[in-house]
Amino acid sequence: MNESRAYAQAIEEFRSAAQAMSRPSIVMRSLIADRAGLNATDAECIDYLMSNSISTASDLARATRLSKSAITSVLQRLEKAGYITRHTSSTDRRSSQIQPNIPLIQAKFGPYYKAVTNEFQKIVADYDLDQLELLTKHYKRMTQLYEQQVKLLSDPKYEGHKDS
């Protein structure tokens, strides 16, 4: 096999492996959410809130691309289950700040993510510093790609790539 063909095959295998990794990741996150008494969307909202400490419903709607009514439903479920508290803004009574209940979230989600983290540590222990830096660069670039695609797909006029 010539070098360019081997390279093309390696790229396809890499793409296929990344795609294959995505599927069980989604299922795992959904199953963990279920164990915590939530659906996957609610859990993704908690993930966002954990990354940002205090947010508003508008912040969450923008980040998740959910409608205002969907976010309202999510927040009602999360508040009822004790995962968040909402505090009315002192400057704007129509707005509230959402704060995650970190101890409850850690208690409900922590044991499952701890198991994943432990296995992750075993995997990355096989990599040297250069490999870890390369993988980090790759994931950051892929995140940028996905963020760019989200922006494009958010435009109703965008029709994807068209072969000419």
Side-chain angles (χ1 to χ4, degrees):
M1 183 181 308
N2 69 28
E3 191 173 326
S4 67
R5 190 167 167 198
Y7 185 77
Q9 182 177 345
I11 289 174
E12 177 54 26
E13 288 175 12
F14 184 58
R15 185 209 56 77
S16 179
Q19 184 178 18
M21 178 189 72
S22 174
R23 292 181 197 116
S25 172
I26 291 167
V27 172
M28 178 197 73
R29 291 171 70 90
S30 180
L31 289 169
I32 291 172
D34 188 58
R35 296 277 178 113
L38 301 173
N39 64 44
T41 300
D42 294 349
E44 289 301 318
C45 289
I46 284 177
D47 186 56
Y48 173 81
L49 293 169
M50 291 293 286
S51 298
N52 294 285
S53 277
I54 297 175
S55 299
T56 66
S58 296
D59 295 335
L60 196 54
R62 271 191 300 280
T64 60
R65 311 297 296 171
L66 293 172
S67 68
K68 288 182 182 182
S69 62
I71 286 296
T72 298
S73 296
V74 167
L75 293 176
Q76 287 171 345
R77 287 191 301 272
L78 294 178
E79 188 171 37
K80 183 178 179 183
Y83 284 105
I84 63 164
T85 54
R86 289 194 262 189
H87 306 284
T88 303
S89 172
S90 58
T91 58
D92 181 358
R93 290 274 180 215
R94 296 169 296 166
S95 178
S96 62
Q97 294 189 325
I98 304 155
Q99 189 168 9
N101 180 344
I102 295 171
L104 178 63
I105 293 166
Q106 288 173 337
K108 295 285 190 167
F109 288 84
Y112 305 109
Y113 282 108
K114 180 75 171 160
V116 174
T117 299
N118 289 343
E119 293 303 313
F120 172 81
Q121 293 296 334
K122 292 176 188 175
I123 291 169
V124 298
D126 290 339
Y127 299 124
D128 65 29
L129 180 60
D130 289 340
Q131 291 170 319
L132 288 172
E133 287 173 347
L134 174 66
L135 289 168
T136 300
K137 179 180 176 182
H138 167 75
Y139 279 112
K140 286 180 177 181
R141 291 178 72 188
M142 291 304 298
T143 299
Q144 289 173 342
L145 168 66
Y146 292 148
E147 288 170 345
Q148 175 190 22
Q149 292 304 305
V150 165
K151 187 174 181 178
L152 289 171
L153 289 162
S154 297
D155 180 351
K157 295 177 185 171
Y158 179 68
E159 296 182 5
H161 179 76
K162 296 191 178 204
D163 293 325
S164 24

